[in-house]
Each structure stands twice: as structure tokens, then as C-alpha cells.
Amino acid sequence: MRRRILKLIPIFLFASKGIRSSCKLQSDLTEEQKKGIIQTAQMLDYNNTQLITYTSFKKPKEGELMPFVIQNGDEDYQIILTRYQGKIYAFGSLCPYDLETDLSEGICFGDKLYCPKHGCQFDITNGMVEGPPSIDNLPKFGVKENEDSIEVYAPLIVPKKIIPQYHFRDYNDQRKVIIYGGGAAAFACLTTLREFGYTGELSYVSNENYMPYDKTKMSKRIKATKPEDFFFRKDKWYQAIAVDAHLGRRISYVNNKHSNTYVELDDSNKIAYDTILIATGTDPVHPPIKGIENQPVFYFNSLDSHQQLKEKLKTINDLSIIGINTMSLEVAQTIRQEYPNIKINIIDPNDESQFQVQYGPDLTNLVLDLHVEKGINVYENIKIKKFEKDSIIFKGNKKLKSDAVILFPSTVAPKTEFAEVSDHQFEFDTAGRVKVDYFQRTDIKRIFAAGSCANTYYYTNGTGHIGDQWQACYNQGITAAYNMLALNVPWHQIPFTYTEQFGKVLQQTSSWPQFDEIHIEGDLKKWDFIIYYGMNDFVVGAVGTPSKQNRVAIVNEGIRCKNVPFLSDLKNGKYSTKDIETAVRKIKKSGCYKSTLYKFRYDIVPEYNLWTFRDNMSTFYFPYDNAEISAAPKMKGDE
């Protein structure tokens, strides 16, 4: 065997900025001890693999994330060593979503790793992504633990992310699935079906001219972008897994008669189906403002609108943004950074902006003050009288110069018109959203709905969740795919979202229709805090900044496990976020679920073990004793 020593580097040299954990590990070592910590890498002749040996008196503890640098071609590459149930695991340290965030600053619950910024979740035992916004897996490396060392086997050129494996089309498989819509729920359902072994016909219908794309990235980049920058996958990928795309088309009719099920498109083309996912999203409701046709108006709800706005921003001096919510504020900060010469005015005609209704005055004032500091004008509770060609006239005849308008209306309408002309009338809520159960099924069992066009039962607070958060829509699409495959998995994930405002990151866990009280833990002025939102003394969600403690991830896991104290107990100091973490770890009901689903789908399960398996899974989905919903009886009833 040919051997060559690539490097002999003391590990403490890699305690650079952004690698907080390694700094901790080296902080109390003597010089002699440091000399005993050596990383060596040697090239092996087989499979282009390098062997890295880590020799240290200190090894990772259970759940501890230990950064460790290996060789990646001519560059250094950081991986993470951790321990779960006594066994050592090694995987890449860069979040696949942005290839920048250091996962060694995240937090583990069981075998589940939370990204410290985006809230992505990964299975540390196999690198598999468990929760969005990442759609790719972590690279995982072979590792062997010896008495006095740890050996890591990695390729010479290390991939920064791994695209999951998908099944290809089997033309002997005569099943037919139609996915209607172009957002997160549609993409999640499409990919999950192929990932979990569906090899039948897969038709994708969208009224847009693009395959699915990530709308959350549109508010973060405008100037130097092309449409393909936002695509989840390239067109060749869809071709490889045999997705039959019908772009720029709408479904005008759904025939759900058992003997002849099909949909009819607006071009009169008919497509047969066995099951359908409706994930059409919503359209903004045009506000009744006089003269709105006099200004170029952009709704920022599609990729076409995004690219049209990009061209318009090259020629204007004054921009008006109507509506204050998370998306509008992200767009304002992006335009301020990319087009510094444009004067930006944010206007909200409501008594309370959407942002304030959702988050309260404390956080609203903090964020808006930040925008004002950056030179953005903010006008709250000011009524618009009419639009003119180059200005906006307010009530009282105050005039504000404006060359273009980006409109973020407070009202949207579900795109479910086609459902009203089908043989069967779906059950809708008062807003026109399709009602579904917590398996994403409509009242027609073969038809599913997900995302913002669906009213989905949100089990943590017993309300109909409208899917207004991107991660919630994505997870609902995954859930629909599971149940198309008869896996009987309820929607159980807790939404985790983030926004970035001039370099300040805000994270949110859960969703709440309303709140009556808040509790602030930390310091708002220092941007080091978590805000708990409560209704009738129950914690319904939280918003906070990234921290060493990963507070928002802790609350996310606590809400999922129904292991969060009353808001009054948090306010009076009886409990804190640290106590929530302690309680969650004590009950040991955290962990990843995809591996279990793989086992159920692909391993031979004896019939007498089937319901035991499902009962155990239902305990995971609804992991609290006094659950108002029990998944297992529902599953048995469906069976």
C-alpha cells in the first residue's frame, strides 16, 4: 500500500472564528496536552479515500458537537464528531441550505440536529434531512473509535451536500398521481413520493411557466439574479425521475367518479389520476384604492413579478412598499442594500400592521426602528386616498413621491376555483380554503390538499392552520405524500421559520392565530432575547434571536413534545428556557422519524407486529399523555 502523510497539524490551530466548540475544547489544555492532540491524514489507494486519525484524551460526550478539520483537496474542511447512544458519528458541518452556517453551533435532541440559523433538522446517524428549508442531506463519513483515537474515513474531495436518492420511473407501475401547484407543498410531495419508492406516473401541473422554486429566497436577493437561481432542482433532475410537467396550465375540472377519474386542463387536455394533491396557494386580493392603475404595481408573489421588479428598480428613484409584514420588511432591506440610491417608503394603512398583530408592539418597534436607522421611511396607520402617476395622495391631501409600488395586501384568496365546478363540492372554510384532516386528506379520500390553499388541523393548539408559513406548507406536502403511499402519518412537525433584517436574524417556532400575553426573556436592545407568546396562559409559540443556547430550537422541540410550562410560570421565574431543555431531554421523546418510515416501508414487518409498530409511531407523533387526539385509533379506523 502506498502511503503519504499529507499534514501534521495540531487541532488547536483550527480554533478560528465561527468554530466556537473547538475553542471551548482547547481552552483549558496545557501545552504538553496540546502536543498530544494530532490530526494526521493519509491517502489510501482504495476508493480515493483518506484516513484521518484524531488522537486526544477528550472525546465527544453524548449529544456534544465537536468540530474537526480534515483535508478537502487543497483546502481545509470542517466536519463534526458527535456521540449518540454511545456510538461516534461524523458528518459535514455546513448547512446544505446556504453552505455557510456552521452546524457545530446547533443543538442535538436524540439523533436530531437543529441548524442554529434556519432550523433545518438532520439525522446525525445517516445525514438525512428531516426538516426544511434544506432539501439536501449532510455528507456522512465512516468513523471508527479506538481506545485512544478516532479514525475518520472521508473522500479526498468532500461533497458539501448530498442530494437524496430517488426512485426512477417503472413503466410497469400503472399508478397515476397529479400534483397541482408550484410552491413548497407541491415540491415536497413530488420529491417525497419518489424518495419513498413511488415509481408510477407523476404529473405536475402549474399555472406558472417554471418548475417549483423557493419563494423565501426571492425577498433576500433581487439585483444579481436569474430565475434559475431560485429553482429547487434543475430541469434535468425532473427529467431523470420522469416528472411529466404541464407548465402554464390550470385545472378547470376534476372528475372524481370511480370508474373514470381524470382532470381536464384549460387547454382541454385530460389526465387520468388515482390521487391528486391540491397545492395551488393563494392570490393577493386587490385593495380598492382609487387610481392604482396609474402606478406600476408589483405583488412579489411569483418569479415573474420578482424579475419584472428587478428591471423596474434600474430606472426609478422613489419606491413605495404597501403593507408591513415579514416579507415586505425583508424586501425593503434587500432593496436598500442592493439599490442604495432608491428612496424607500414603507406605508401601512391599517390601524395595526400585520407584523404588529402577529408579534406585538415590542418586536414591531424594534424592527421598524432598525429600518429607520438604515434610511427607510416608515408610515404607520396612514390612509391612502388615491394613486397618481408619480405620487401617492393620503387622506388630508399629503403627497408622497412614488415611481413604483410593491403591494403586500393583508387579504389573500385561495386558488381553488376549479374545485367549485367538479362533480363533488369540497368542504371549505369561511375563507374558501379546502378543509383537510391531519393526514392532509380532503373529504374525498383520494384527493389531498396542502399549503396555504388548505385548512389543516394544527394539533398543538387545536385550531385550523392555514399554512401561511413556508416550512408548514413544505411539511404538509411531505405528509400528503406519506399518506398517498398509505403510511398513515399525521402532520406532526412544528413550523420553524427565520427572517433576516439588516444582518439581524429572527427565528420563529410554531404558529398562533392570536395571543393575549407575552413574556420576554433576554435583552431586546442587545438583540439577545426570546419572546414567548401565550393564549389563556398556554405557550403557543416563540420568536427569538440565534443564541449559544439555541433557545428557539429548544422551544420548538418543547412544543412538539407538549412539554412547555405555563406562561405565568415563565413570567414569575419558576421556569426558564433551560428548564424546558432539561424536561425535553428527560422524557426522551425527541428524535428523527424518516428512518423508521423507511424500515416500515421496505423491511418485512410481521402482521402481528404491524399495529404495535403503528401504536409506537403514534406515541412519537403525539408524545403526551393527555392528548386530545390519538393517532393510533384513527389509523386503525382508516385501515
Side-chain angles (χ1 to χ4, degrees), residues 226-237:
K226 305 181 293 296
E228 51 266 31
D229 294 336
F230 304 100
F231 293 169
F232 286 113
R233 301 287 187 211
K234 296 180 179 179
D235 289 345
K236 290 183 178 179
W237 182 85

Side-chain angles (χ1 to χ4, degrees), residues 32 71 129 160 221 253 342 371 479 483 499 518 617 625 628:
E32 286 191 9
Q71 196 75 13
V129 61
K160 294 184 178 180
R221 292 178 57 202
Y253 178 75
I342 294 180
H371 280 252
T479 303
N483 294 306
T499 180
I518 68 170
M617 290 297 289
D625 297 333
E628 296 180 4

Side-chain angles (χ1 to χ4, degrees), residues 157-381:
I157 305 299
V158 183
K160 294 184 178 180
K161 62 182 180 180
I162 304 294
I163 296 177
Q165 291 184 337
Y166 297 96
H167 290 73
F168 297 106
R169 177 79 168 92
D170 179 358
Y171 290 92
N172 294 313
D173 188 341
Q174 298 300 308
R175 293 175 294 173
K176 300 174 178 64
V177 173
I178 296 175
I179 296 175
Y180 183 31
F187 176 78
C189 183
L190 182 152
T191 57
T192 303
L193 285 171
R194 284 291 190 241
E195 184 180 358
F196 274 76
Y198 174 73
T199 58
E201 183 178 308
L202 191 53
S203 299
Y204 171 77
V205 181
S206 174
N207 65 324
E208 296 195 60
N209 294 313
Y210 308 102
M211 296 302 285
Y213 55 90
D214 188 346
K215 292 185 178 181
T216 63
K217 291 183 177 180
M218 295 196 308
S219 58
K220 299 175 178 64
R221 292 178 57 202
I222 298 176
K223 190 173 185 178
T225 61
K226 305 181 293 296
E228 51 266 31
D229 294 336
F230 304 100
F231 293 169
F232 286 113
R233 301 287 187 211
K234 296 180 179 179
D235 289 345
K236 290 183 178 179
W237 182 85
Y238 295 101
Q239 295 170 10
I241 63 171
V243 175
D244 185 17
H246 302 265
L247 302 180
R249 300 265 67 94
R250 294 178 183 271
I251 291 179
S252 58
Y253 178 75
V254 178
N255 183 8
N256 64 313
K257 294 180 180 178
H258 290 280
S259 59
N260 184 25
T261 55
Y262 67 88
V263 300
E264 184 172 336
L265 306 185
D266 54 5
D267 62 355
S268 299
N269 185 25
K270 294 181 180 180
I271 307 174
Y273 73 87
D274 294 310
T275 186
I276 303 176
L277 173 71
I278 303 170
T280 46
T282 57
D283 274 332
V285 175
H286 205 298
I289 303 176
K290 184 179 179 181
I292 195 170
E293 67 278 358
N294 294 326
Q295 290 257 337
V297 177
F298 303 90
Y299 282 100
F300 214 81
N301 65 327
S302 68
L303 194 49
D304 285 335
S305 179
H306 178 278
Q307 293 298 296
Q308 291 164 9
L309 175 64
K310 182 185 74 170
E311 295 303 316
K312 188 65 178 178
L313 290 173
K314 298 176 182 178
T315 62
I316 66 173
N317 297 314
D318 296 271
L319 174 69
S320 298
I321 298 177
I322 311 296
I324 297 177
N325 56 32
T326 303
M327 180 71 76
S328 68
L329 293 174
E330 274 194 353
V331 171
Q333 69 102 21
T334 299
I335 294 175
R336 163 57 68 230
Q337 292 174 336
E338 296 184 346
Y339 302 87
N341 295 325
I342 294 180
K343 183 179 179 180
I344 303 172
N345 299 303
I346 302 179
I347 305 162
D348 196 295
N350 301 301
D351 295 336
E352 286 186 320
S353 67
Q354 281 182 281
F355 196 92
Q356 183 164 334
V357 169
Q358 186 171 6
Y359 300 114
D362 298 280
L363 187 59
T364 300
N365 293 334
L366 180 70
V367 175
L368 292 185
D369 286 347
L370 178 62
H371 280 252
V372 172
E373 288 175 13
K374 301 298 183 180
I376 296 175
N377 301 316
V378 179
Y379 300 89
E380 297 181 83
N381 191 18

